[in-house]
Amino acid sequence: MGQKLSKEEKAAMAKALNQSAMDAINAKAWVLVPSQYQKSDGTLESNVDPAIFVACEGDNMTVQGSICGGSKSQGYLVEFKDYTPTIDKKGNLRMRLVVNGRMMRGTYQITMRNNTNVADVIYTPSGKSAMKFQGPIVPLKGANYYKRSNPM
């Protein structure tokens, strides 16, 4: 049987995950594969598909799957109009991303609590209703996601 982690070890591991996510956000090199997302009818759906993701690569972002309002096979490449991460006095991250691309425009509001790498995301596309999802933010190099070729 595996040994149980002590409370201090769990806290240290959570802090390391948070620091890794914060470093990736500051370097604009991160991926969020949702663990769950809200479907169009308002119910929550667990996600096991690594082809549904949001990836930040420098000044561009790739969004693929049903979380971008398209079909599961579509991927969109968008540019940042605004990339503003801020940290409040409790250490929680709040980030506002305004994106603009050929087929996709909108605003992402990302909230990540202190000592965790799990983020709550609200995406509000222009002229459509908001979509909500959550999942861990991980560095681009260590991420497990499937990026289809030729995003729009």
Side-chain angles (χ1 to χ4, degrees), residues 19 24 27-28 32 36 38 43 58 67 97 102-103 118 126 147:
Q19 189 58 49
K28 290 187 177 180
L32 186 148
Q36 63 181 12
Q38 187 176 23
T43 60
I67 59 172
L97 308 174
R102 194 175 100 194
M103 301 287 287
V118 177
S126 295
K147 183 176 179 182

Side-chain angles (χ1 to χ4, degrees), residues 79-98:
E79 294 179 342
F80 293 117
K81 292 289 185 187
D82 185 21
Y83 185 94
T84 311
T86 57
I87 298 173
D88 65 15
K89 60 185 175 182
K90 292 181 180 179
N92 301 323
L93 170 80
R94 297 197 192 297
M95 189 162 45
R96 182 174 185 266
L97 308 174
V98 178

Side-chain angles (χ1 to χ4, degrees), residues 112-128:
M112 185 173 70
R113 293 180 191 246
N114 190 15
N115 289 334
T116 183
N117 68 334
V118 177
D120 294 319
V121 181
I122 300 172
Y123 169 58
T124 309
S126 295
K128 297 182 183 173

Side-chain angles (χ1 to χ4, degrees), residues 27-86:
K28 290 187 177 180
W30 52 269
V31 174
L32 186 148
V33 177
S35 55
Q36 63 181 12
Y37 59 94
Q38 187 176 23
K39 294 179 8 180
S40 59
D41 62 2
T43 60
L44 289 177
E45 177 83 17
S46 293
N47 181 35
V48 293
D49 187 0
I52 298 175
F53 68 89
V54 175
C56 175
E57 303 170 70
D59 289 331
N60 294 317
M61 188 163 86
T62 304
V63 183
Q64 185 173 284
S66 57
I67 59 172
C68 60
S71 71
K72 287 193 176 201
S73 63
Q74 285 181 310
Y76 297 108
L77 182 64
V78 295
E79 294 179 342
F80 293 117
K81 292 289 185 187
D82 185 21
Y83 185 94
T84 311
T86 57

